[in-house]
Amino acid sequence: MATQVPSAPLTQLTAWKALESHYQQVKDLSLRTLFAEDPKRGERFSLEAVGIYLDYSKNRITEETLRLLLQLAEESGLRQHIDAMFRGDKINVTENRAVLHTALRAPRGADIQVDGRNVVPEVHEVLDRMAAFSDRVRSGEWKGFTGKRIRNVVNIGIGGSDLGPVMAYEALRHYSRRDMVFRFVSNVDGTDFAEATIDLDPEETLFIISSKTFTTLETMTNAQTAREWSLKKLGDPKAVAKHFVAVSTNAAEVSKFGIDTANMFGFWDWVGGRYSMDSAIGLSTMLAIGPDNFRKMLAGFREMDEHFRTAPFEKNLPVLMGLLTVWYADFFGAETVAVLPYDQYLKRFPAYLQQLTMESNGKSVTLGGARVDYQTGAIFWGEPGTNGQHSFYQLIHQGTHLIPCDFLGFAKTLNPLGNHHDLLMANVFAQGEALAFGKTPEQVKAEGTPDWLVPHRVFEGNRPSNTLLLEKLTPEALGKLVALYEHSVFTQGVIWQINSFDQWGVELGKVLAKNIISELEGKGEGKHDSSTSALIARYQKLKG
Ligand code: F6P
């Protein structure tokens, strides 16, 4: 059963009410003043844990804000919720499931019970099978149907069965096999498959069909196309056994598709799609970086799990980041959070975080089914630095929206080239500084700016940011970062009293699309509103 805390709706909690009046007192405080009054603010509002330095001093908070946010976490029962999740309680109440992505990285000897069974041995059995398979493919021992070694790996999946794998591949490319090609096909748009395979030889290509349910329209369509593409050259359906493996929880559908379940890597219903990149869904990652590096990534996840589970809230990275997100969403009315990695390898990290954060916390009813009367999940977005600076940062600096930013940087580059890295890092530090402190009219005038131009050149400042600084982008570091955001999302969901682990909001569109597909294939006529009917009719006419 889900842990039934807290006893009162969020807006009735003592800490919430206190935060409402506190907000009135601090909303106009400026970071300039806060820093001027406390020369040690940068140190005092920062935290180092598990190799991550979080500077959260450039947030519009005081000691009192923090105290009240931490009290809110206590009153919301965050501690009990954390324990319930790690213990394997069925906290995903609308699907009656445990939420145990943390079990995916538990050490071999751990004991985590789901329905009276320790799930850790199964986790390690799958990891061992993945490792054995990866070694065979990477060494060339696993041959394609015509005897050639596998040089290309194509992961077919969507949502959590794509975004995690592609993000991790890009993030850890430095550690990957450069003599193998890795591609990712997700969109049902045929262009995705066509372009991903245009230069590949089916004799050397392995497809990983990744789908928790093995029923997802996009993935099944792409999988069928992949099968046809392979067999067109390889001829014999027996070739499927050498060129297709599956990652799924659904063995029956996997065999129906024609993949031998001996070539299937399983996971479990207690792993949500968007929390699955460290399960068998990470097979493409393991093939790219090798089992040892994959295990290092898991160790990074595990370190952050332990930190989240055991650190006092005031020294707890995911808790602090989660509470700050709530502070801006609900008190300042900030609608978005920008995630700005200053590392090119993390170019898909914002896209990955979009599913993690928005599919988790994009909810408008509480666990008890009541409509919320406060804002929930913020919109996450971002691009790697410095590219974003030359595109949308203008709006963050001088626009009318308040956009809290997470800057991510690494002290050591994986590609030392001249002074590139110092230039990159100078920019990340400068952006946080510029956003926080801006430039006053007096400063602008003192530069000799004519009066009429002054307002245009003023930076108000007081725009909040976190800066996360790590030593180096390693598999461990990636594991820690992902787990940090996973647990921050959980913290937010607990405060908002919502279920961060279901995704009913994706269902309706899927059902309606199925009906329309039948119509487009000439199987009956559907009933729609006048707009949708006209669009369908025009499409039919235009395509001839
Ligand atoms: O449509 C949303 C969703 O259910 C995601 O939650 C999930 O990650 C994705 O589809 C893919 O699902 P599957 O792995 O079952 O194909």
Side-chain angles (χ1 to χ4, degrees):
M1 270 310 290
T3 316
Q4 291 304 317
V5 281
S7 51
L10 174 59
T11 53
Q12 301 302 313
L13 295 178
T14 312
W16 184 271
K17 289 178 186 248
L19 278 163
E20 281 177 329
S21 46
H22 172 72
Y23 169 72
Q24 294 306 326
Q25 287 154 24
V26 298
K27 67 181 181 359
D28 296 323
L29 278 184
S30 82
L31 287 167
R32 277 174 174 269
T33 313
L34 291 171
F35 271 85
E37 284 173 354
D38 176 5
K40 289 215 152 59
R41 183 177 169 90
E43 287 155 52
R44 284 201 306 115
F45 289 88
S46 60
L47 171 63
E48 182 161 21
V50 298
I52 298 183
Y53 179 75
L54 166 67
D55 176 347
Y56 59 99
S57 62
K58 296 190 185 86
N59 280 292
R60 291 167 68 171
I61 55 169
T62 63
E63 294 278 8
E64 180 63 1
T65 322
L66 263 191
R67 192 186 68 75
L68 291 173
L69 286 171
L70 292 166
Q71 186 186 327
L72 181 65
E74 295 293 348
E75 284 179 30
S76 300
L78 180 60
R79 171 61 55 212
Q80 292 90 324
H81 278 88
I82 293 173
D83 291 344
M85 176 172 75
F86 276 86
R87 198 166 52 222
D89 288 10
K90 296 194 171 167
I91 61 168
N92 176 357
V93 285
T94 60
E95 295 179 318
N96 192 30
R97 287 176 182 166
V99 174
L100 271 178
H101 40 279
T102 51
L104 297 170
R105 48 261 192 167
R108 246 177 231 280
D111 183 353
I112 302 171
Q113 299 280 326
V114 178
D115 295 328
R117 228 182 54 241
N118 180 11
V119 297
V120 178
E122 292 170 50
V123 167
H124 283 272
E125 189 208 307
V126 174
L127 276 173
D128 292 344
R129 283 185 56 229
M130 286 166 65
F133 176 72
S134 298
D135 284 340
R136 288 183 71 195
V137 173
R138 286 163 61 89
S139 68
E141 185 196 327
W142 178 284
K143 298 268 189 296
F145 189 62
T146 57
K148 290 192 177 170
R149 67 184 289 170
I150 298 296
R151 298 196 185 279
N152 317 311
V153 175
V154 182
N155 185 76
I156 293 182
I158 197 164
S161 302
D162 167 71
L163 288 163
V166 70
M167 181 278 288
Y169 170 67
E170 292 295 347
L172 301 176
R173 208 174 183 149
H174 178 81
Y175 304 87
S176 74
R177 280 282 292 261
R178 300 303 181 131
D179 58 346
M180 290 175 76
V181 170
F182 290 85
R183 301 263 165 87
F184 299 83
V185 175
S186 53
N187 199 333
V188 76
D189 182 343
T191 299
D192 204 8
F193 183 88
E195 287 294 340
T197 51
I198 199 161
D199 54 350
L200 304 186
D201 178 355
E203 290 182 75
E204 300 179 338
T205 303
L206 174 79
F207 287 96
I208 305 174
I209 313 300
S210 297
S211 174
K212 181 175 168 182
T213 54
F214 230 72
T215 55
T216 305
L217 173 94
E218 291 87 342
T219 302
M220 290 305 106
T221 308
N222 279 319
Q224 276 303 344
T225 302
R227 204 185 139 97
E228 284 155 25
W229 180 86
S230 294
L231 295 187
K232 197 168 162 199
K233 171 130 190 224
L234 302 172
D236 192 335
K238 283 198 204 105
V240 169
K242 291 286 167 202
H243 293 271
F244 284 77
V245 297
V247 177
S248 186
T249 56
N250 191 344
E253 286 297 326
V254 168
S255 7
K256 240 199 244 166
F257 178 83
I259 297 179
D260 188 342
T261 46
N263 293 338
M264 167 179 158
F265 300 87
F267 60 115
W268 306 270
D269 74 355
W270 40 262
V271 183
R274 53 194 176 273
Y275 297 87
S276 68
M277 59 164 279
D278 49 338
S279 72
I281 289 291
L283 184 60
S284 57
T285 315
M286 195 189 266
L287 282 161
I289 65 173
D292 286 350
N293 278 322
F294 193 85
R295 288 186 194 281
K296 286 181 188 165
M297 183 181 79
L298 294 182
F301 272 99
R302 186 158 62 235
E303 264 194 77
M304 183 55 76
D305 291 346
E306 277 312 288
H307 167 74
F308 179 54
R309 199 175 63 79
T310 58
F313 288 169
E314 69 276 13
K315 292 201 159 54
N316 195 309
L317 294 165
V319 171
L320 288 175
M321 285 184 63
L323 290 173
L324 286 167
T325 304
V326 171
W327 174 236
Y328 290 116
D330 291 301
F331 295 92
F332 285 85
E335 298 212 311
T336 81
V337 173
V339 182
L340 308 161
Y342 277 65
D343 190 300
Q344 190 61 21
Y345 285 122
L346 288 181
K347 66 181 181 192
R348 295 304 302 270
F349 196 61
Y352 169 77
L353 279 190
Q354 286 188 320
Q355 188 198 11
L356 179 67
T357 58
M358 290 153 76
E359 204 174 62
S360 295
N361 285 342
K363 312 287 162 65
S364 50
V365 293
T366 65
L367 282 161
R371 170 91 202 178
V372 298
D373 52 358
Y374 42 84
Q375 288 291 343
T376 61
I379 300 156
F380 274 68
W381 60 285
E383 280 288 323
T386 57
N387 297 9
Q389 290 174 210
H390 297 270
S391 126
F392 53 77
Y393 276 39
Q394 164 66 38
L395 183 146
I396 307 181
H397 282 287
Q398 286 189 317
T400 53
H401 300 270
L402 181 78
I403 302 178
C405 299
D406 285 354
F407 291 108
L408 268 68
F410 298 89
K412 292 181 182 152
T413 176
L414 294 169
N415 294 297
L417 276 180
N419 64 347
H420 281 251
H421 196 60
D422 282 344
L423 294 179
L424 177 74
M425 295 310 288
N427 272 283
V428 72
F429 300 137
Q431 289 300 324
E433 201 172 25
L435 286 170
F437 306 112
K439 201 170 180 185
T440 62
E442 293 69 37
Q443 286 174 307
V444 176
K445 269 185 216 156
E447 287 170 351
T449 309
D451 281 356
W452 67 269
L453 194 54
V454 170
H456 298 275
R457 298 192 57 189
V458 165
F459 289 67
E460 281 173 3
N462 225 14
R463 297 177 184 229
S465 66
N466 289 316
T467 302
L468 291 154
L469 191 59
L470 290 83
E471 188 188 340
K472 192 167 143 187
L473 179 53
T474 59
E476 290 94 331
L478 183 70
K480 289 174 193 175
L481 276 176
V482 173
L484 168 63
Y485 279 95
E486 285 178 347
H487 299 320
S488 166
V489 164
F490 178 66
T491 299
Q492 295 158 43
V494 169
I495 304 291
W496 286 322
Q497 304 186 0
I498 56 178
N499 183 0
S500 300
F501 302 105
D502 62 11
Q503 55 285 316
W504 298 104
V506 300
E507 295 302 324
L508 181 59
K510 289 187 194 174
V511 173
L512 296 187
K514 263 199 187 139
N515 296 340
I516 296 177
I517 292 162
S518 308
E519 283 175 59
L520 298 186
E521 289 171 343
K523 297 178 199 145
E525 234 174 74
K527 262 189 136 215
H528 304 283
D529 60 277
S530 57
S531 156
T532 312
S533 299
L535 286 167
I536 293 172
R538 186 161 288 257
Y539 167 72
Q540 300 280 48
K541 195 170 152 207
L542 279 175
K543 79 167 186 176

